[in-house]
């Protein structure tokens, strides 16, 4: 088949399209957006499918004690998207639910377009309840979620056909939420053969079309539905009795459905690939390490610097290797500009004056126990001692807890208590409403990016990649991408090592690194510190990007 006829359909429960459009909650959606932007840059023929989410993902408010409340984010769909005339139906609980699509176009600099279609059931033809099915991202109960996944997977394939996409050669499931698309493809294959039953032949042909990326080793991240609910929502299908498709007794496990019907399955970092292989021993699991779309995540000051020294870096990300040739004074100047912008934002939001000369540590991610936002605050007296001995630090935090994650909410309150306790000695701020705009400011404006997940639960992580291209080194647990990205003392610093037994005191390691390595380097060998910053860009910016990632998907998964 000619290359221009080979189109990849990319399915994701969330996709980040624009700063002002709240159709994403975090890492998964941001990766999806960056993936599509790189596909456009590289002229990879692709079309993407997700849901509309009129109510958006929430905006976070924190009171003086750090108690989180959530507000829904209104946005005007017509300001960003164009309605398509096509309609398809998905049968849910025996009702024919009408689905429409809204189109968004991702443009590359050269004008190549990747269209994105967001599915929407909010139509007058549908019942009140069905109209709400595509309103909320990760809201509602199991039934609500299963209905959404039926619309995404089954409705998505039908909508693509209605839109005229008959030549799709790959269906890429970005996480298991969309794996019901395989049922629609099985039906299509069966019909094509004019057969009544789904056979091995259909399974084989669907497998050759499907690619599956799994994103987390955390069990709760793998959707499971009781078969009774599945039958109630989707109606009975003979495929439910096929053991090589529905392998788990009594439940539909979306991950296994995708595993059983894909010819290529991957984790999102080398280490995560290995961990996933252990979880699913009977399947062959590959690894393609995540990345970030560099032009989107590079601060204005570094964009200008790269344009001057490395023209063409936006499309040829590998050329960032030549950051090694950039004058070190220029790298420092660009960093200070980004830092100034962040500190101004902090002043505006919290009325706190942070110090441009003080080592600034950044930590921002979804607040949930395994991410351990409070590891740095394990021993506050020790932290005070370190600052006295080795030099000042200030800390900038951000992160939303999922509305139902009580433990995640508690962690934010614990940080607020530490902020009070350390008030005179160490300045700490917690910024509200972590989103991509704040993500850009923080990953580029701090001096050190901290990440302290519990191993091996961080599948990849991407915020450290954003900081790397902005010359901000990471101090991180050796998990996810950092296993590949960390060259000790060259691109940043590890907390602990990758082979330690559980129970090892990682907080202790974190404090040791700060006290004996990072603070002395920052305050007494600034040239050495800037050398690390430069290596971040040259070694990690040039590799941990979605252009390289898409090259690997094309070579290994899409166009074999
Ligand atoms: C990059 C980003 C994430 C994902 O980063 P992790 O390192 O995986 O936590 C989540 N939320 C926002 C707003 C981001 O910018």
């Amino acid at each position: 088949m000619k290359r221009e006829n080979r189109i990849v359909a990319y399915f994701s429960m969330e996709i980040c399209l624009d700063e002002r459009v709240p159709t994403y909650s975090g890492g998964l959606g941001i990766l999806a957006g960056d993936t599509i932007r790189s596909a456009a840059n590289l002229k990879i023929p692709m079309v993407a499918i997700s849901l509309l989410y009129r109510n958006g993902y929430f905006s976070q408010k924190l009171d003086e004690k750090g108690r989180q409340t959530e507000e829904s984010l209104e946005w005007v769909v017509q300001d960003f998207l164009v309605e398509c005339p096509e309609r398809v139906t998905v049968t849910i609980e025996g009702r024919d639910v009408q689905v429409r699509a809204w189109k968004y176009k991702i443009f590359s600099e050269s004008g190549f377009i990747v269209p994105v279609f967001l599915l929407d059931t909010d139509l007058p033809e549908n019942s009140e309840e069905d109209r709400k099915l595509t309103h909320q991202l990760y809201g509602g109960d199991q039934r609500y979620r299963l209905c959404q996944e039926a619309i995404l997977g089954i409705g998505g394939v039908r909508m693509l056909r209605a839109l005229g996409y008959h030549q799709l050669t790959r269906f890429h499931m970005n996480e298991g939420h969309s794996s019901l698309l395989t049922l629609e493809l099985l039906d299509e294959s069966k019909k094509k053969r004019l057969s009544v039953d789904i056979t091995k032949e259909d399974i084989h042909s669907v497998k050759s079309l499907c690619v599956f990326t799994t994103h987390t080793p955390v069990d709760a991240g793998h959707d499971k539905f009781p078969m009774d609910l599945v039958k109630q929502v989707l109606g009975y299908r003979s495929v439910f009795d096929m053991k090589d498709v529905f392998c788990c007794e009594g439940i539909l496990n979306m991950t296994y459905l995708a595993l059983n019907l894909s010819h290529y399955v991957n984790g999102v970092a080398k280490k995560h690939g290995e961990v996933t292989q252990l979880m699913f021993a009977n399947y062959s699991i590959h690894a393609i390490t995540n990345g970030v779309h560099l032009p989107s995540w590079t601060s204005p000051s570094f964009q200008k610097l790269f344009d001057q020294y490395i023209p063409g870096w936006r499309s040829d990300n590998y050329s960032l290797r030549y950051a090694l040739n950039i004058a070190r004074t220029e790298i420092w100047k660009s960093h200070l500009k980004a830092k100034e912008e962040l500190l101004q934002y902090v002043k505006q939001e919290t009325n706190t004056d942070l110090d441009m000369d003080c080592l600034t540590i950044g930590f921002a991610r979804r607040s949930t126990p395994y991410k351990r936002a409070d590891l740095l605050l394990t021993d506050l007296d020790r932290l005070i001692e370190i600052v006295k001995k080795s030099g000042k630090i200030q800390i900038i935090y951000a992160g939303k807890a999922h509305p139902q994650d009580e433990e995640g909410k508690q962690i934010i309150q614990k940080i607020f208590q530490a902020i009070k306790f350390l008030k005179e000695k160490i300045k700490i701020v917690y910024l509200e409403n972590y989103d991509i705009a704040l993500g850009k400011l923080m990953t580029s404006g701090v001096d050190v990016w901290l990440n302290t997940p519990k191993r091996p639960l961080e599948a990849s992580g991407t915020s450290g990649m954003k900081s790397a291209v902005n010359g901000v080194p990471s101090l991180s647990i050796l998990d996810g991408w950092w296993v590949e990205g960390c060259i000790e003392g060259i691109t940043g610093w590890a907390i602990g090592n990758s082979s330690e037994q559980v129970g090892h005191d990682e907080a202790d390691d974190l404090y040791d690194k700060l006290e004996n390595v990072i603070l002395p380097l920052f305050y007494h060998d600034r040239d050495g510190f800037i050398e690390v910053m430069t290596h971040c860009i040259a070694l990690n910016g040039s590799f941990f990007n979605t252009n390289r990632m898409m090259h690997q998907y094309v070579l290994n998964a899409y166009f074999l």
Side-chain angles (χ1 to χ4, degrees):
M1 199 180 288
K2 285 210 299 252
R3 188 166 193 267
E4 50 270 32
N5 292 336
R6 300 189 293 189
I7 303 178
V8 180
Y10 183 80
F11 280 66
S12 184
M13 191 77 166
E14 44 171 315
I15 301 183
C16 174
L17 299 171
D18 183 295
E19 282 188 10
R20 298 157 296 172
V21 178
T23 54
Y24 68 97
S25 85
L28 187 73
I30 288 168
L31 178 81
D34 282 9
T35 296
I36 299 166
R37 268 177 275 278
S38 276
N41 292 152
L42 298 169
K43 299 194 170 77
I44 297 167
M46 184 179 262
V47 51
I49 291 277
S50 189
L51 303 183
L52 185 68
Y53 308 122
R54 278 171 196 276
N55 291 356
Y57 199 68
F58 69 92
S59 152
Q60 176 197 47
K61 284 260 169 290
L62 296 170
D63 71 7
E64 77 287 348
K65 291 208 157 132
R67 286 176 298 211
Q68 172 178 301
T69 46
E70 299 100 25
E71 288 166 15
S72 78
L73 270 173
E74 299 298 323
W75 62 292
V76 182
V77 174
Q78 288 87 340
D79 286 356
F80 301 93
L81 300 151
V82 177
E83 184 185 353
C84 305
E86 289 78 7
R87 298 284 185 271
V88 297
T89 45
V90 178
T91 309
I92 287 176
E93 294 169 340
R95 300 183 305 282
D96 280 343
V97 176
Q98 302 287 314
V99 182
R100 80 173 138 189
W102 296 80
K103 185 175 184 176
Y104 186 93
K105 292 181 192 165
I106 301 261
F107 285 93
S108 74
E109 283 193 337
S110 68
F112 190 87
I113 294 171
V114 172
V116 182
F117 296 98
L118 302 186
L119 305 178
D120 175 25
T121 59
D122 195 346
L123 285 163
E125 299 90 295
N126 293 328
S127 71
E128 255 333 283
E129 208 185 333
D130 289 340
R131 291 180 72 155
K132 292 187 191 138
L133 285 177
T134 52
H135 279 189
Q136 266 193 317
L137 174 59
Y138 305 140
D141 56 7
Q142 264 201 322
R143 179 200 153 269
Y144 185 78
R145 176 75 82 94
L146 180 60
C147 294
Q148 285 194 327
E149 297 189 4
I151 291 158
L152 177 68
I154 297 169
V157 174
R158 289 185 185 165
M159 182 55 78
L160 286 170
R161 301 307 188 203
L163 289 162
Y165 289 94
H166 299 292
Q167 296 282 3
L168 299 167
T169 47
R170 285 292 180 274
F171 288 81
H172 187 167
M173 293 171 264
N174 185 45
E175 195 47 286
H177 310 118
S178 56
S179 52
L180 291 176
L181 71 84
T182 57
L183 299 190
E184 183 63 14
L185 294 179
L186 283 171
D187 272 353
E188 285 189 348
S189 168
K190 178 185 82 173
K191 278 185 200 140
K192 219 196 252 156
R193 292 189 310 102
L194 304 172
S195 156
V196 225
D197 295 317
I198 291 167
T199 64
K200 292 245 181 280
E201 215 179 318
D202 300 311
I203 293 176
H204 182 77
S205 92
V206 171
K207 259 190 169 176
S208 70
L209 289 171
C210 291
V211 171
F212 172 47
T213 302
T214 174
H215 284 267
T216 178
V218 178
D219 189 57
H222 298 258
D223 282 341
K224 298 177 201 79
F225 302 103
M227 277 314 287
D228 290 342
L229 179 68
V230 174
K231 286 173 193 163
Q232 175 200 319
V233 169
L234 300 182
Y236 174 78
R237 293 167 178 237
S238 60
V239 67
F240 295 162
D241 300 321
M242 295 181 76
K243 286 282 163 278
D244 35 2
V245 179
F246 282 74
C247 55
C248 315
E249 203 64 47
I251 52 166
L252 163 55
N253 181 320
M254 297 294 274
T255 302
Y256 275 105
L257 180 59
L259 286 168
N260 287 336
L261 287 164
S262 300
H263 72 282
Y264 185 90
V265 179
N266 70 290
V268 289
K270 292 216 173 306
K271 168 90 177 293
H272 176 237
E274 290 163 21
V275 171
T276 307
Q277 183 66 78
L278 292 175
M279 290 167 67
F280 307 113
N282 295 333
Y283 301 84
S284 164
I285 313 286
H286 303 264
I288 295 179
T289 303
N290 280 343
V292 295
H293 182 250
L294 296 187
S296 303
W297 293 104
T298 305
S299 71
S301 55
F302 270 106
Q303 290 194 27
K304 218 167 117 201
L305 186 64
F306 296 157
D307 284 343
Q308 182 191 339
Y309 276 83
I310 317 170
W313 68 278
R314 289 164 201 269
S315 51
D316 179 4
N317 293 173
Y318 300 113
S319 65
L320 277 185
R321 182 176 176 83
Y322 305 118
L324 293 173
N325 298 331
I326 300 177
R328 301 305 191 252
T329 47
E330 295 291 322
I331 290 193
W332 185 245
K333 267 205 292 206
S334 299
H335 172 63
L336 288 186
K337 276 213 189 94
K339 188 170 179 178
E340 204 174 349
E341 252 194 72
L342 173 63
L343 297 202
Q344 271 167 12
Y345 181 81
V346 169
K347 170 81 180 163
Q348 170 201 315
E349 291 296 303
T350 66
N351 203 25
T352 306
D353 284 300
L354 294 184
D355 180 357
M356 278 295 286
D357 298 323
C358 178
L359 180 91
T360 306
I361 297 175
F363 184 104
R365 42 192 56 80
R366 181 162 54 89
S367 183
T368 199
Y370 86 83
K371 305 251 189 190
R372 300 192 296 189
D374 52 350
L375 193 77
L376 176 62
L377 307 173
T378 307
D379 182 349
L380 299 181
D381 294 327
R382 169 104 194 255
L383 207 53
I384 293 168
E385 284 307 308
I386 290 171
V387 167
K388 268 195 204 140
K389 184 182 156 214
S390 299
K392 281 168 63 175
I393 61 170
Q394 56 195 10
I395 308 167
I396 304 177
Y397 273 106
K400 300 173 181 175
H402 186 280
Q404 275 128 39
D405 186 352
E406 280 310 319
E407 277 184 275
K409 291 182 175 180
Q410 293 290 332
I411 293 169
I412 301 178
Q413 293 179 39
K414 196 173 157 204
I415 293 170
F416 270 66
Q417 285 160 15
I419 292 176
K420 250 197 199 138
F421 181 84
L422 291 170
K423 204 167 179 156
E424 309 301 325
K425 302 185 171 95
I426 298 172
K427 279 189 185 167
I428 307 177
V429 295
Y430 200 111
L431 299 173
E432 283 175 329
N433 208 30
Y434 182 43
D435 61 5
I436 53 170
L438 181 54
K440 281 178 199 181
L441 277 177
M442 284 186 70
T443 53
S444 61
V446 298
D447 298 309
V448 172
W449 191 250
L450 179 69
N451 193 14
T452 49
K454 210 176 174 68
R455 285 186 303 127
L457 300 182
E458 181 89 320
S460 167
T462 53
S463 54
M465 301 174 183
K466 299 166 192 169
S467 70
V469 73
N470 287 292
V472 174
S474 285
L475 166 61
S476 171
I477 300 280
L478 281 171
D479 200 13
W481 82 283
W482 194 234
V483 177
E484 297 159 60
C486 178
I487 308 172
E488 183 68 19
I490 306 287
T491 58
W493 305 274
I495 302 167
N497 66 51
S498 57
S499 60
E500 270 145 14
Q501 304 300 313
V502 224
H504 173 84
D505 194 341
E506 291 172 318
D508 213 38
D509 268 330
L510 166 53
Y511 291 137
D512 284 344
K513 276 276 153 76
L514 263 182
E515 177 174 352
N516 302 317
V517 181
I518 299 172
L519 283 164
L521 190 68
F522 185 81
Y523 286 115
H524 304 297
D525 178 10
R526 187 58 56 83
D527 290 346
F529 192 86
I530 300 172
E531 213 47 35
V532 177
M533 294 172 64
T534 309
H535 288 137
C536 280
I537 303 167
L539 297 177
N540 286 349
S542 66
F543 185 83
F544 294 99
N545 54 70
T546 37
N547 279 19
R548 181 269 315 153
M549 183 190 88
M550 288 314 281
H551 281 145
Q552 291 184 313
Y553 276 105
V554 166
L555 289 173
N556 302 332
Y558 289 168
F559 301 142
L560 279 183

